[in-house]
Amino acid sequence: MSEDVHPPESAFNLLPVEDKKKEKAPRYVSKFRPAVMLERKLVKEPIRTMGPARVELPSPENFLKKHSKEPKLPEQTQSSKDVHKTCSFTERKPPVPRRNDKPLMGIHTKRDFLKETPELVPMKPQPACVDTSKGHKQVLENSGLVPKFITRKDFGRVPAYLQQRSEAERRAREEYENFVKAEREQRAMKHMTEEERQAILKRLKETWDKLHHEYQALPLIIDTMSQRATKDCLERQMKQLEDDIDLFERFKIIYIPNDD
């Protein structure tokens, strides 16, 4: 933004303008700074993060030797040696007989090996089919080639859950049809009987006679607005009654909406 106070062509702009130096605000220093510095010096410990200042160097004579860092077993004592000798798995086995030794003969036993041995049942071979020229076999039982499901008792029957679903759908359909039927019957047109038609026709004619009597009582000269309005109203009502009387006389069968 320009700092000129006067227009650019003003003579006041020829006067020298002193440069105004902007003074910086004093730097903020917390009043707790001395206390923090003192506390930091008190809490600080030497060799906290960088390690010890001086470390003793290893002697060249103590160089790393082979197998020096491997774990060493404790030295065996006399008691441990005795225990090792008495273990069952370390006992000496009898020597193998020589080829010149004669075997013991005439040894008999009372055990009946035929009774102790379970009766062996010969396994029935599983039917299989060879489906490749290299002799690859496939068991027929789980291959789907054997019609074993047709022998089930429930084969060809509708499952129970499908029967329940069909029954629920049938009940819902019947309830909907009954509801629609009731709505139709409620909104159906009602037939007007002959007695009702004659009674209505009679009342219409009586009303027309009454309005016609009032119409005949009007003056011959109609000058005011109220008399004209009365005449027009009577004419409209008589015309509507004439249309209704004509309708009831022409049609013998009349249907009216059911109000129930």
Side-chain angles (χ1 to χ4, degrees):
M1 183 176 181
S2 178
E3 298 180 356
D4 294 339
V5 180
H6 305 284
E9 298 180 358
S10 176
F12 291 97
N13 294 332
L14 301 176
L15 299 175
V17 180
E18 297 181 359
D19 296 337
K20 296 182 180 180
K21 296 183 178 180
K22 295 182 179 180
E23 297 181 358
K24 295 183 178 181
R27 181 181 178 185
Y28 172 77
V29 179
S30 176
K31 62 180 181 179
F32 301 104
R33 180 180 176 85
V36 173
M37 296 294 292
L38 181 60
E39 183 179 357
R40 180 172 175 273
K41 290 180 180 180
L42 294 176
V43 177
K44 185 176 180 182
E45 298 178 2
I47 318 173
R48 186 66 179 271
T49 57
M50 301 301 294
R54 296 180 180 180
V55 180
E56 185 179 357
L57 298 176
S59 175
E61 298 176 357
N62 299 330
F63 56 90
L64 185 64
K65 299 180 181 180
K66 185 177 181 181
H67 304 295
S68 61
K69 291 189 176 182
E70 293 182 358
K72 297 181 180 180
L73 297 176
E75 297 181 357
Q76 291 185 356
T77 60
Q78 187 65 25
S79 59
S80 63
K81 292 180 180 179
D82 297 339
V83 171
H84 182 72
K85 289 181 179 179
T86 57
C87 291
S88 60
F89 58 87
T90 58
E91 291 181 358
R92 187 179 297 276
K93 296 182 179 180
V96 179
R98 300 178 180 179
R99 62 178 181 177
N100 298 330
D101 295 343
K102 296 182 179 181
L104 299 176
M105 304 297 292
I107 298 176
H108 300 281
T109 181
K110 295 181 179 180
R111 292 179 59 184
D112 191 354
F113 293 97
L114 294 178
K115 292 182 179 180
E116 294 179 3
T117 305
E119 185 179 357
L120 299 177
V121 180
M123 294 181 60
K124 185 178 180 182
Q126 294 182 351
C129 65
V130 180
D131 52 4
T132 60
S133 59
K134 295 183 180 181
H136 178 264
K137 290 184 178 182
Q138 184 180 7
V139 181
L140 291 177
E141 184 177 0
N142 299 325
S143 64
L145 302 176
V146 180
K148 64 178 181 178
F149 294 101
I150 60 175
T151 58
R152 295 172 54 179
K153 295 181 179 180
D154 57 348
F155 178 76
R157 298 181 182 178
V158 181
Y161 75 95
L162 289 180
Q163 295 179 0
Q164 296 175 1
R165 185 179 300 177
S166 301
E167 184 66 21
E169 291 179 356
R170 185 186 62 80
R171 288 197 302 266
R173 193 182 304 108
E174 289 181 357
E175 292 177 359
Y176 177 73
E177 290 177 357
N178 295 334
F179 172 75
V180 172
K181 186 178 180 180
E183 287 291 329
R184 288 180 180 177
E185 290 178 355
Q186 186 176 1
R187 292 181 295 178
M189 304 297 288
K190 181 181 178 181
H191 177 254
M192 183 183 293
T193 60
E194 183 65 23
E195 291 79 7
E196 293 177 351
R197 189 180 71 86
Q198 292 295 335
I200 294 173
L201 185 60
K202 182 179 179 181
R203 286 197 299 269
L204 290 174
K205 289 182 178 180
E206 291 176 355
T207 305
W208 185 88
D209 293 339
K210 182 179 179 181
L211 295 176
H212 184 263
H213 180 70
E214 293 178 3
Y215 185 80
Q216 292 294 333
L218 292 175
L220 296 176
I221 300 174
I222 298 174
D223 298 333
T224 61
M225 296 295 294
S226 61
Q227 292 178 352
R228 292 180 182 177
T230 303
K231 180 183 177 182
D232 295 340
C233 181
L234 291 174
E235 289 179 352
R236 286 197 302 271
Q237 293 179 3
M238 292 173 63
K239 182 68 172 64
Q240 183 64 35
L241 289 172
E242 289 175 358
D243 295 341
D244 295 341
I245 292 170
D246 181 59
L247 178 65
F248 276 85
E249 288 180 347
R250 284 190 297 111
F251 299 101
K252 305 297 181 183
I253 301 175
I254 298 175
Y255 291 93
I256 58 176
N258 193 359
D259 297 335
D260 297 340

